[in-house]
Amino acid sequence: MLLLQGTSDPSIKMAATKQAVQNAQDLGTKASFASYPGKDHYSVLTPGESGGAADDVIRWLKEHN
């Protein structure tokens, strides 16, 4: 499980995302979390050279295929 969030996301509180990761881990799920400075709910998925998570998502998918 991979959870990603921009630090400027007005839709979802960072604390809620971190709690979701902790809950998953407590239940034995391998869960990872990464935050992206200045990104909002949608721009978080921009390419890495733009500070987004797209490259990290592709890398994670390849590792967990």
Side-chain angles (χ1 to χ4, degrees):
M1 178 179 192
L2 175 64
L3 285 93
L4 310 166
Q5 186 166 0
T7 60
S8 296
D9 187 337
S11 303
I12 300 172
K13 295 184 186 279
M14 186 73 68
T17 303
K18 289 181 178 181
Q19 186 63 57
V21 172
Q22 187 61 56
N23 292 346
Q25 291 172 339
D26 289 348
L27 293 171
T29 300
K30 290 182 181 179
S32 300
F33 170 75
S35 63
Y36 296 84
K39 298 299 178 186
D40 63 23
H41 195 73
Y42 299 102
S43 66
V44 71
L45 291 176
T46 59
E49 65 264 9
S50 298
D55 299 340
D56 295 336
V57 170
I58 292 168
R59 186 174 20 265
W60 187 89
L61 288 170
K62 286 179 179 179
E63 290 173 3
H64 295 87
N65 184 4

